[in-house]
Amino acid sequence: MKNMANDRFEKNLPHYLQYVGLKIVCFPVRLLPYQTAVWLGKHLVGATRFVMGKRFARVKHDIARAFPDKTPAQVHQIAVESWRNMGVIFAEFIQLSSLSISEFKKHCCIEGEEKLRQAEGTTGGIIHIGHFTNWEAFGLAASAYGFDKAVLAQRVDNPYVDKEINRLRNVFSGRTLYSNHEDKPFFACMRWLKKKKMLGILFDQNTVSGEMWFSFLGRTAAFAPITALLAIKMQIPVFPVNVTREKNGFLRCRVYDPVTPPTDYSLENVRKFTKQLIGYYEMWMRENPSSWLWAHNRWKREEEGNRYLAAHPEERL
């Protein structure tokens, strides 16, 4: 019987036409000077907020609720800069993935790479990163700096586009594990980490299954516990990583000190450790709210989560 769950990942004509359109757009972006491409990406994608009014309004609503001390003008500016950042990410990703490693390092660096070096080959480790500034740049940087890394990501519905994204994402080296398509992704991650390598996980997007509920900037959101589960089960450190962009456009990937998981496995420890890791996201958002991907509907399941926690108050942290 045909697996209906995977129908959206099948190849078809609309998917192929989308892929061709992506290639057409990427071609001139790759040919332009780096700063010109970034400037165009920023302003062209930023302008799409005028034709995506409902989503942009929802972005401003979410920002206002997360930061009630901000004025309407400040909320609007944060939303605009976050929207523009999507265009910058796109242009940077296309440009950076086409450079040599030596040229790449002129635009992006890893600060604190020695922390990852100490873990690679001994304990291995999980890179705790979110959708801040340009998370794809860190994936490229990790490979450019010689780390044999994998990332846990959501598969793009369009198989042609997905293949192209992963080609660029792993242009220097690396591989991608799928959280929404891999056969038992938890065990795929375990197999990778048992090799004492690095695994990058982003879990600041809305979770559709296997969730735990937490307060995130004052509102209930679903989070996948996979980072905490892997770290506790395998007793490996977690390395928070935040990417910032300097005024000249240089990308700096800062590796924080490793976070040691609890020694005993229990659902309570999984919840507490997940909450601890969420704290890094909240800290980074407060430091630079426009750097986060607000266009994603992070609180899509807020009401469902509130009902669950009302029925299970013992799980509220």
Side-chain angles (χ1 to χ4, degrees), residues 42 56 76-86 290-291:
K42 174 180 179 178
F56 188 67
H76 180 81
Q77 188 59 36
I78 291 169
V80 170
E81 291 304 316
S82 176
W83 205 273
R84 287 173 173 170
N85 187 55
M86 292 189 290
S290 63
S291 69

Side-chain angles (χ1 to χ4, degrees), residues 247-264:
K247 289 184 178 180
N248 61 359
F250 187 82
L251 293 163
R252 189 173 301 278
C253 309
R254 179 187 175 191
V255 181
Y256 285 66
D257 290 337
V259 185
T260 304
T263 55
D264 297 324

Side-chain angles (χ1 to χ4, degrees), residues 190-205:
M190 284 191 71
R191 288 192 294 270
W192 182 262
L193 290 169
K194 282 181 178 179
K195 299 176 183 178
K196 312 300 183 186
K197 297 183 179 182
M198 309 306 297
L199 173 68
I201 298 179
L202 300 88
F203 71 100
D204 57 336
Q205 285 190 305

